[in-house]
Amino acid sequence: MSGILTRRNFLRGSAIAGSGLILAGCDQFDFLGSKENQVRKVMEQANVLTYQVQRRLIGAQTLAREYSASEIRQGQRPNGSVDPSTAEYVALRDSGFAGYKLKITGMVEQPLEFSLDELRNMPARSQITRHDCVEGWSCIAKWTGTPLGPILDMARVKPEARFCVYHCYDNIQRTLSGDILYYTSSDLIDAYHPQSILSYGLNDQVLPVSNGAPIRLRIERALGYKQPKYLHTIELVDSLAAFGKGKGGYWEDTGYDWYAGI
Amino acid sequence: MSEQAGLPAVKGPLIYRQSIWTRVTHWIWAICLFFLLLTGLQIFNAHPALYIGQQSGFEFENAILEIGAVNTPEGPRGRTTVFGQTFDSTALGLGVSGSAERPTFTGFPGAVTIPSYRDLGTGRVVHFFFGWVFVITMFIWFLASFINGHIRRDIVPGPADIKGVPRDVADHARLRFHHGRTYGPLQKLAYFGVFFVLFPLIVLTGLTMSPGINAIAPWMLDIFGGRQTARTIHFIVMLLLVGFFIIHIVMVVAAGPINELRSMLSGWYRASPGTPTAEGDKP
């Protein structure tokens, strides 16, 4: 065998392989960023599969892990909106949320309203859980609030309702044609989950504005964008098509998956 | 070697070495790993840091990797900190990339992410799609390879393989390859490591980042030492798989790319001269 030839082949081949690696990236696949692209739409079905598999695999009552108090090593990192500037919210904040009402509307037999004091006087639950941002970071904090399930029962959810839409005060995005307000949604399994609480307390303090005062919903088996801050209305619906761009939430409308359990 | 060197040596037999299961899963994985890597780097760029433990230290220190940028009198520079050691990573494209007039501030440069611009939502859509394809292909491979004997014959190293490692290392160092009926000791060890260690690890650490899976299988958080450690392991296994890929390509080229590619496309592989023929071989 000829060692020189082999070595030359070896070097040439390595160079080809190396340049292939560098060329690999580029922007040939940027079309996948377009929401209307058919290939992307097929790929999005993988998220539907993830949702269905996790729903079959994970019991409706299965709890997210709760941590010990010693795991609270820092404040809850604020993210997204941290100081909403809509006139409605600013007025509420300046009055110490005295006029705040949480509304339960939509497909319910009995629409309801609760003041902050009423919510604070209802049975409370505290849980030390890990908040996972879709960006990749995690933060452990203690959340205190009243479970959402019993409140939905008081409003008597109609059988045709399939989703809860969570409407928020914060203008997450300001555009030329006006503010875009934050909203997200969940199925009724997440809404009725025992750890799904309307939280008004964080780390044994009153929930601060930067973390969603006066009320932030916790959905502990989902990523951070399913923990809506500055919550004012929970609307029960049978379809998400009527809200925003129809994908079930502010971030969902920009291309994030709706389920957010992974 | 005879083919490469073009020397008129006695040809070994043409053997049917790669089953249809091996070939199809191989190419599906190749496509999956390409997209998983590039969308994975897109996802990483959303928060270009790695930590040890359950959570990310913002008010305490548990990061082992941080990629960022700083302003200097000479303009923006990439700054990467690994295990407390900070270095200028501008030349690697880490932290800052693109031209001096229009710099981009991302962990990894757009040349190695899908999409090339910042789009975490799309990165996740594509990553999870290929994640599913990868896992389903893995199940098919394990089932088929267990039944057709590929795992027993070619993947799990036996005592003879372990004994043959030093000799095989010496042969590799001299770029002298033996094309046999089954894989050589180093080949077996490499594939065993990929199939039985790296592939399961990257899938399990990926699932450990899912808050849904955490609820049903909190023990996964414990075996990997927390969600952020799982994320770090996921990243390290990615680096190891990239390392495997580079060596894999180099070895294919060194051992005879035509023969190796043919075996991974048609299944037929030209063995070294002197390889005893068996039933089913072609001349």
Side-chain angles (χ1 to χ4, degrees), chain A residues 61 150 206:
Chain A
Q61 304 287 309
V206 172

Side-chain angles (χ1 to χ4, degrees), chain A residues 1-2 5-7 9-10 13-14 17 21 24-27 29-30 32-33 40 42-44 46-47 49-50 53-54 57-58 62-65 67 71 73-75 77 130 132 134-140 220-223 225 255-257 259-262, chain B residues 1 4-5 7 34-35 38 43 46-47 51 54-60 110-117 119-122 124-126 128-130 132 174-176 207 209-216 218-219 221-222 227-228 231 245-246 249-250 253-254:
Chain A
M1 80 169 227
S2 161
L5 256 185
T6 310
R7 211 156 290 144
N9 275 348
F10 177 83
S14 306
L21 262 182
C26 299
D27 45 13
F29 298 102
D30 284 357
L32 293 169
R40 182 201 171 98
V42 170
M43 289 184 174
E44 282 175 348
N47 286 324
L49 179 63
T50 301
V53 168
Q54 287 208 8
L57 216 58
I58 308 163
T62 309
L63 298 184
R65 165 161 287 191
Y67 294 87
E71 301 270 15
R73 301 177 64 190
Q74 56 190 349
R77 181 178 166 90
R130 200 190 64 234
D132 297 325
V134 66
E135 291 167 0
W137 53 265
S138 308
C139 195
I140 291 175
E220 299 288 3
R221 300 183 304 179
L223 297 174
Y225 62 95
Y256 287 79
D257 52 304
Y259 169 54
I262 188 160
Chain B
M1 291 296 100
Q4 270 184 11
L7 295 175
F34 171 81
F35 282 100
L38 273 67
I43 295 170
H47 189 76
Y51 308 86
Q54 295 289 356
Q55 58 181 324
S56 317
F58 299 110
E59 295 172 28
F60 63 98
V112 293
T113 65
I114 291 177
S116 62
Y117 50 89
D119 185 349
L120 173 59
T122 300
R124 282 168 53 84
V125 165
V126 179
F128 295 144
F129 173 81
F130 283 103
W132 270 109
R174 277 173 278 168
L175 297 177
R176 186 178 295 158
L207 288 173
M209 284 186 258
S210 156
I213 297 296
N214 288 165
I216 183 102
W219 49 267
L221 286 168
D222 298 325
R227 181 179 193 260
Q228 289 300 321
R231 186 167 172 268
F245 170 75
I246 293 169
I249 297 298
V250 167
V253 169

Side-chain angles (χ1 to χ4, degrees), chain B residues 18-27 141 145 150 183 264:
Chain B
Q18 308 296 2
S19 75
I20 184 77
W21 300 101
T22 304
R23 287 179 276 141
V24 171
T25 53
H26 171 272
W27 292 112
W141 182 89
S145 302
H150 180 48
Y183 296 174
M264 213 23 104

